[in-house]
Amino acid sequence: MINWQAIDTVLLDMDGTLLDLHYDNFFWTQHLPLRYAQIHGGNPETISEQLMQQIMAEKGSLNWYCLDYWSTQLKVDIVALKREVTHLIAPHPSTKDFLNALNASHCETWLVTNAHQGSLDLKLEHTDLGQHISKIISSHDFGKPKEDPDFWRQLQQHWHFDPARTLLVDDTATVLDAAAHFGIQHLLTLRQPDSQQAVRDALDYPAVLSFAEILPIPPRTL
C-alpha cells in the first residue's frame, strides 16, 4: 500500500488518526451538554440537541476547532471541562509501533492538526506524541483549517516539503480532498477513528484499520 522509498515527509493528523477520537466525541456529545446544563441550567437532552446544531453550523471552519471561540459562545471554560475527562485520551493501539518505525526510518515526521492550542497541549501532556514528532503544526497558526487548500500552500511555504514525496494520514475526507487538490501525492485514512463506533467502509482513500498494515518501514541506512 505504501512505497516508503517514495516518501520523505510524513504528515500525521492527531485526533482520530494517532489518538482515539472517542475522547473528543464523548466530550462534545455527552460531557459538555451535561456540564453546560449544570452550569447554566436546563435539560441536558434538550441542550445536547441545541449545542449540536450550534456546533455543526461551524463544521469545516476554524471556529469548529477553536476552544476560545466555543468558550466565548457557550460561556464556559472549555479547556477546564476537557481536563475533567482526560482519562479518555488514548493513542490507537498501533500508534506507538508506527511512530517508532517512522523515527527509525529516513522519513521526517510532522504532526499537522486542526486542534486548538488548548486541546493540543492537553493531548501532548497526556501522551508521549511529542517525543516522536520533529515538527508540531496547528492550523490555527495559519488562520486556515486543513480543509482549505490555502492551508497546505502556507504550510509548504513556511516549512518546505515536496508534495510529491509526502504522505498525509488523516481521518477526515475533506482534509484529504484539500491536500490532494494542493498536490500531496500519498494519502491514507483510518477505518475506525473512534474505537467505540463502527468500522468505516467504502472510503474514498486507501484506508487501514491498524498501522500494522503499513509496517515495516525500512530503517534509515548510515
Side-chain angles (χ1 to χ4, degrees), residues 56-167:
M56 291 300 291
E58 297 292 341
K59 187 172 183 179
S61 73
L62 206 59
N63 285 341
W64 165 272
Y65 303 100
C66 183
L67 304 192
D68 291 340
Y69 174 82
W70 291 116
S71 292
T72 299
Q73 290 292 309
L74 304 179
K75 296 180 174 57
V76 296
D77 186 337
I78 294 291
V79 174
L81 296 185
K82 286 179 77 75
R83 281 194 173 277
E84 295 175 354
V85 288
T86 52
H87 62 282
L88 295 177
I89 296 173
H92 285 302
S94 60
T95 292
K96 184 175 182 179
D97 288 344
F98 179 50
L99 291 176
N100 283 335
L102 282 172
N103 290 164
S105 77
H106 69 283
C107 297
E108 190 169 358
T109 306
W110 303 358
L111 184 70
V112 182
T113 178
N114 274 325
H116 184 262
Q117 193 64 47
S119 181
L120 180 56
D121 288 345
L122 278 180
K123 306 293 175 58
L124 295 176
E125 179 183 334
H126 289 272
T127 69
D128 63 354
L129 291 185
Q131 300 174 22
H132 301 277
I133 306 294
S134 60
K135 288 184 178 65
I136 298 176
I137 300 117
S138 168
S139 60
H140 297 262
D141 298 335
F142 297 106
K144 300 279 187 180
K146 294 190 298 180
E147 289 86 341
D148 189 327
D150 193 50
F151 165 81
W152 300 101
R153 285 189 287 271
Q154 291 189 57
L155 177 65
Q156 204 269 345
Q157 289 168 4
H158 193 79
W159 298 109
H160 180 73
F161 62 93
D162 181 356
R165 295 188 58 81
T166 295
L167 167 68

Side-chain angles (χ1 to χ4, degrees), residues 6-75:
I7 294 166
D8 294 325
T9 308
V10 180
L11 309 179
L12 299 173
D13 175 50
M14 184 171 65
D15 302 318
T17 298
L18 297 178
L19 302 184
D20 192 335
L21 196 58
H22 175 61
Y23 166 77
D24 299 278
N25 285 339
F26 177 85
F27 175 80
W28 292 103
T29 64
Q30 298 184 55
H31 189 67
L32 176 60
L34 176 63
R35 295 291 284 116
Y36 184 95
Q38 292 172 345
I39 293 167
H40 294 298
N43 182 288
E45 289 186 10
T46 303
I47 288 170
S48 181
E49 292 181 16
Q50 294 171 346
L51 288 178
M52 284 305 102
Q53 290 177 0
Q54 189 173 354
I55 291 168
M56 291 300 291
E58 297 292 341
K59 187 172 183 179
S61 73
L62 206 59
N63 285 341
W64 165 272
Y65 303 100
C66 183
L67 304 192
D68 291 340
Y69 174 82
W70 291 116
S71 292
T72 299
Q73 290 292 309
L74 304 179
K75 296 180 174 57

